[in-house]
Amino acid sequence: MRKNSRTNRHSNSQSKPINIKNFTRQIFSGETLKDNIAPIIGILLLAISIFSIYSYITYIFTGSDDQSIMTSKTIEMQEAVSSTSNPSGFRGAYLMHTLVNGWVGLSVIIAFIYMLYLGLSILRRNGMKRIKMFIFSSIAIFWTSLFLTTILEPWNESLFFRPGGIVGEELHKYLHGQIGYFGIILVLITALLITLFIFFKSVKERYKTWVTSQNDRRGTTLSTEGLDTQISQPKWWQKLLIKKKNKEVNEIPTKPEENTSDPEIFDIEDTSDDTVAQDTIEWSDVAQDEEIPHTTRSEDGELDIEIIDARKEDPELPIETSPEDKARQLVQEFGEYDPRLDLGQYKMPTLDLLDDRAMGDISIDHEEVQKNKESITETLKNFGIGITSIRATVGPTITLYEVVPESGVKISRIRNLEDDIALSLSALGIRIIAPMPGKGTVGLEVPNKNAQVVGMRSVIASKKFQEAKYELPVALGRTITNEVFTFDLAKVPHLLVAGATGQGKSVGLNAVITSLLYRKHPAELKFVMIDPKMVEFSVYSAIEKHYMAKLADEKDCIITDTKRVVTTLNSLCKEMDDRYELLTKAKVRNLKEYNELFKSRRLNPANGHRFMPYIVVIIDEYGDLIMTAGKEIELPIARLAQKARAVGIHAIIATQRPTASIITGTIKANFPGRISFRVFSMIDSRTILDSPGANRLVGKGDLLYSQGNEFIRVQCAFVDTPEVNRIVDYISAQRGFSHAYELPEVSSGDGGMGDIPGMIDLDERDPLFDQVARMLVLEQQGSVSFIQRKFSIGYNRAGRLMDQLEAAGIVSAPDGSKGREVLIKSEEHLNEILMQF
């Protein structure tokens, strides 16, 4: 019997085949469709929105690296996929490039957030008003697109994407032509207020509350009977009235309490002089910085309340008088001291003053790169050196090939093949970095056949330079990876620049000056420019009243005469000492801390304190100054390099002769920052950088920057003379200070060279001084070798005698290899001079 029933069930199940049509209709009908499809759509929306937000965030940080791939029309798909830097892959990067750069810009994030909330709403079935949210999101996208385009318009050229997309740019262009910039701002504000009022209920309620409060304030008078309900009682008022009750002064009836949790509120009885008796107030119960109400009755009997400061009424009350409180009070009254207000109308130079040499994306010659890889691999293989991989990084003028040698290969073998690899590549010269710092590779820097010029405008306009939080930001150029290279001169803190003639040294100095002019206000920075060649810095004389510092009695702000150079450097030493005295009085350690105290009005100008700008001393052709003045130049520069950093004085010296006699050990020890353009010998490279490599540069602005043991190869930004002229004309056309920044005067007995060891003291003359002087006057010629021969003395003693004769005014200063000119023409004149000693 059990067997038959089991057989019947089996036969029934086989007699009813599955109907696919009915199954499909059952799934996609009625509540079943809602239960099955809605969660799937919600999950898909969540996944798409999360991936889009992730791609959007990564695009902001890595989009600049992938621009060349996104905009290239010749690159293959396989290569594009493998070269994409964005963690979301090629598709994610391309999607963001299309939406951000091509459609609505950064505001596309609103669409992704809407998708995220929509997916959550579908999953949770919370009944979100999707149509209303869609309309609001659409309005927000277009509003944000126009807003970003308008606000970020000055920086659009420095960004790798359009902040507002094509939609924002077209809207901005149309509205700007119709109603101008102010009209666009007005449209944005109006649209924002209307949108908030329509879509946000809380905004409507706050508006109604505000209108009601305004009407109530205008239509309600403060009476003594309804004082507790008409206005909200501040804490100090409650303390005052409760204190009056406890002391039982002037019997004041209380109002019936309706809520025992609220503080008691009292009516004020009218006194004989219509004022509240202040002798009932104890200041221990009322904070010193709180004000006390003063009440009087008007002619119509209504109560008027006036807030007064009781500390002003009673001089016996304690008043805080500490320096910090005084400074805080001054800041509250006048605000912090702003040095820029002295030239409040001054405007920084604009980018349109610089020529547009925009590089854009570096055009990669894949054929050249591949050919060089094969040549390097083949050359190393011929010398028995195997490599496991080779990778290329293309820059504006240099391509870096990173080679990973096989295990067991000595790095020195690769380093010794520098010339052989250069020969195989037919290159002007290569530089081998073995090993690469922080990497397990050997670097080979090979010049590109088609080098690109790095324009100063592209460097100044870059986001990295504009947003740098440096005290003295300098944009020098671009590295071999095409990144903008910047550094803080205040952290360097002194810079030594060297390079052969015509290799870009003067352009590099102009790039440093231009960077500082674009970021620092005239009240915050001053230059001291020393130019023995008389032509390099003469263009900057027009901004004397804006950015220059000089002695009060000097006519020209650009110093060209050697004697004026010595005096100016001594004056800078005096300025340094004066600043250290001020730092000592203020009990701070550096200029930044001192200026912050002065801005917060904690330092009194009546005590000699003042705001101190940074001073940058730039010396061109330092070698020529050493040849003509020697120790008189080197000693004050050494003093400044050793001590001036903390007081905001920074030095930049440049020379085309980096020899050991010019760049001495004292100078090298105190100038940690080094910039070397191309030099022609390895000895010169070792002198300037303590390492070879500068002799392998290709010139035309190619440089090595060093601040320690690490070297960074940079293509210096090119700024031409017409560009510098336009910047100077733009600055000089604006109102400047009444005069240049004055350096302190010095004398031989007050901070001058007489205080510096090694100077000539005529009180300790050589015993042969008189005899040598008479002989030179009689012969009318003078040189160290001449004194050696005539008196049979050594070179050192003859040199000291010549220095003493120069200090006495008998012979002239040295003029290269020429003999000294005898300034005294007669023996009678000489006798007068000798009698003075």
Side-chain angles (χ1 to χ4, degrees), residues 759-767 769 804 807-808 836-837:
M759 296 308 299
I760 305 301
D761 186 1
L762 293 178
D763 292 334
E764 299 179 0
R765 300 188 305 277
D766 191 279
F769 178 83
Q804 293 173 3
Q836 297 176 2
F837 302 119

Side-chain angles (χ1 to χ4, degrees), residues 593-612:
E593 295 177 0
Y594 178 89
N595 283 338
E596 287 178 354
L597 286 179
F598 191 85
K599 289 179 180 178
S600 61
R601 302 186 184 274
R602 297 184 183 181
L603 300 177
N604 191 349
N607 297 330
H609 292 291
R610 55 191 170 89
F611 179 84
M612 295 186 290

Side-chain angles (χ1 to χ4, degrees), residues 501 505-506 509 530-533 536 619-626 653-657:
T501 303
K505 185 172 74 284
S506 298
L509 292 178
I530 300 174
D531 181 18
K533 289 195 297 188
E536 290 296 338
I619 305 175
D620 195 14
E621 296 301 337
Y622 174 72
D624 181 71
L625 293 176
I626 291 296
I653 62 176
T655 180
Q656 61 181 356
R657 298 179 56 196

Side-chain angles (χ1 to χ4, degrees), residues 100-391:
V100 175
N101 205 32
W103 287 10
V104 292
L106 296 176
S107 61
V108 73
I109 188 66
I110 300 174
F112 299 152
I113 295 174
Y114 170 75
M115 291 172 58
L116 182 68
Y117 276 95
L118 183 60
L120 290 173
S121 172
I122 294 175
L123 286 175
R124 296 171 61 184
R125 298 183 182 180
N126 57 1
M128 184 183 82
K129 298 179 180 179
R130 296 161 190 167
I131 302 298
K132 183 177 180 180
M133 284 297 296
F134 175 79
I135 297 174
F136 175 78
S137 300
S138 302
I139 295 173
I141 289 173
F142 285 94
W143 186 92
T144 307
S145 179
L146 177 60
F147 174 80
L148 292 175
T149 303
T150 304
I151 298 301
L152 301 179
E153 184 181 13
W155 298 277
N156 281 349
E157 295 182 2
S158 62
L159 300 175
F160 64 89
F161 59 89
R162 298 183 179 93
I166 295 178
V167 173
E169 288 187 356
E170 293 299 323
L171 278 174
H172 178 81
K173 188 185 299 182
Y174 174 79
L175 292 176
H176 189 272
Q178 298 293 327
I179 58 178
Y181 190 86
F182 177 78
I184 295 176
I185 299 297
L186 193 60
V187 167
L188 287 170
I189 295 174
T190 304
L192 177 64
L193 294 176
I194 293 175
T195 304
L196 293 176
F197 190 82
I198 292 176
F199 288 91
F200 291 88
K201 187 177 181 181
S202 60
V203 176
K204 294 181 183 178
E205 293 175 353
R206 290 189 178 184
Y207 173 73
K208 292 178 181 179
T209 303
W210 178 78
V211 172
T212 303
S213 64
Q214 292 297 317
N215 293 334
D216 292 341
R217 184 177 300 177
R218 288 193 298 265
T220 305
T221 59
L222 296 176
S223 63
T224 58
E225 296 179 354
L227 191 60
D228 58 323
T229 58
Q230 297 291 342
I231 59 173
S232 60
Q233 304 299 326
K235 187 176 181 180
W236 51 263
W237 181 260
Q238 298 167 11
K239 287 183 178 180
L240 173 63
L241 297 180
I242 293 172
K243 193 67 180 179
K244 291 170 70 67
K245 177 185 177 183
N246 293 336
K247 286 183 175 286
E248 297 181 354
V249 178
N250 296 330
E251 292 292 334
I252 304 175
T254 61
K255 280 185 62 67
E257 291 183 1
E258 297 180 359
N259 187 355
T260 58
S261 62
D262 293 332
E264 294 183 349
I265 309 300
F266 309 96
D267 289 333
I268 300 176
E269 187 180 50
D270 193 11
T271 59
S272 59
D273 57 352
D274 293 333
T275 58
V276 177
Q278 296 186 13
D279 56 359
T280 62
I281 301 174
E282 288 190 5
W283 283 93
S284 59
D285 293 329
V286 182
Q288 292 187 12
D289 57 349
E290 293 182 348
E291 295 176 331
I292 303 302
H294 178 73
T295 61
T296 58
R297 292 192 183 275
S298 59
E299 296 179 355
D300 55 359
E302 295 180 347
L303 184 66
D304 295 330
I305 297 180
E306 178 187 2
I307 303 300
I308 63 172
D309 191 346
R311 290 172 296 182
K312 298 179 181 178
E313 298 293 326
D314 191 350
E316 295 182 358
L317 293 175
I319 300 177
E320 297 176 352
T321 58
S322 64
E324 291 77 9
D325 294 329
K326 287 183 179 179
R328 194 180 303 113
Q329 184 178 359
L330 288 172
V331 170
Q332 292 177 355
E333 185 174 355
F334 302 104
E336 288 192 347
Y337 173 77
D338 187 0
R340 296 191 175 196
L341 293 180
D342 293 337
L343 291 181
Q345 302 299 322
Y346 178 82
K347 296 181 179 179
M348 296 292 186
T350 57
L351 290 176
D352 57 1
L353 300 174
L354 298 170
D355 294 336
D356 188 6
R357 299 185 181 92
M359 295 173 50
D361 300 321
I362 295 180
S363 56
I364 302 176
D365 190 342
H366 297 281
E367 184 177 343
E368 178 186 350
V369 172
Q370 186 62 31
K371 183 179 178 181
N372 288 343
K373 284 183 179 180
E374 295 174 356
S375 298
I376 293 172
T377 305
E378 186 67 23
T379 303
L380 294 176
K381 184 178 179 182
N382 292 338
F383 288 93
I385 298 175
I387 61 175
T388 59
S389 65
I390 182 170
R391 179 176 177 269

Side-chain angles (χ1 to χ4, degrees), residues 553-572:
D553 58 349
E554 295 288 351
K555 293 182 180 179
D556 300 325
C557 59
I558 308 299
I559 305 162
T560 57
D561 184 68
T562 304
K563 294 181 180 179
R564 292 175 55 203
V565 172
V566 174
T567 306
T568 302
L569 291 176
N570 294 332
S571 177
L572 285 168

Side-chain angles (χ1 to χ4, degrees), residues 583 588-595 612 645-648:
L583 262 63
V588 293
R589 301 181 62 182
N590 55 57
L591 182 75
K592 184 178 179 181
E593 295 177 0
Y594 178 89
N595 283 338
M612 295 186 290
R645 171 186 181 177
V647 292

